[in-house]
Amino acid sequence: MAIGRIDDEQFQAWANRVKQKIDTEEVKKQLSKSVKRIGTQAIRQFKSNTPVDTGHLRRSWRVKDAGFTGGSWSIELTNGVEYASYVERGHRTRGGSSWVPGQFFMKNSLNEISSQLPDLITPGLWAFRDLLS
């Protein structure tokens, strides 16, 4: 007993459109733009959350790498200032008699960037919304 006929012509057409976008690496290009956008926003966030005494710590933030490497998308932010971790997590004073609490500017920046990810990724991929319709 047959319930009906299934015609997968529309699905095959959709699959071919998706394959074409993947074969031309258009999706990869758009994802790369999104990752660079995230890196730019992350550096802004980290700099704005970094406490300022002399300004050296804030000026030292860099995006070392943002892109597709090793089979995954990644962004690497660096700060070569040796005392950055002490400002982040806290430290004892020189005499050791008291504790300077951490500022947690890196942790806070990561949390803020994480909440912005959907907005930072989506704009570069709007060109592919027609593939889902």
Side-chain angles (χ1 to χ4, degrees), residues 51 84-93 98-105:
S85 64
Y86 300 111
V87 176
E88 171 70 7
R89 291 183 230 135
H91 60 90
R92 291 211 173 275
T93 57
S98 64
W99 178 259
V100 177
Q103 301 290 313
F104 302 106
F105 61 97

Side-chain angles (χ1 to χ4, degrees), residues 43-62:
I43 218 58
R44 282 187 197 135
Q45 201 71 53
F46 272 67
K47 284 184 176 184
S48 69
N49 287 345
T50 302
V52 178
D53 185 17
T54 65
H56 179 63
L57 182 60
R58 182 177 280 187
R59 284 190 306 271
S60 297
W61 284 110
R62 303 284 181 268

Side-chain angles (χ1 to χ4, degrees), residues 8 11 13 18 21 34 42 52 70 74 82 89 91 98 103 111:
D8 75 334
F11 175 76
V18 171
K21 295 291 184 183
S34 290
V52 178
S74 64
E82 61 189 48
R89 291 183 230 135
H91 60 90
S98 64
Q103 301 290 313
N111 289 337

Side-chain angles (χ1 to χ4, degrees), residues 26-34 37 118 120-132:
E26 193 62 33
V27 173
K28 190 174 180 180
K29 289 175 190 173
Q30 291 300 322
L31 281 171
S32 180
K33 287 180 183 178
S34 290
R37 186 180 305 108
L120 294 171
I121 292 171
T122 305
L125 298 174
W126 276 116
F128 304 105
R129 70 182 178 268
D130 63 322
L131 293 177
L132 301 174

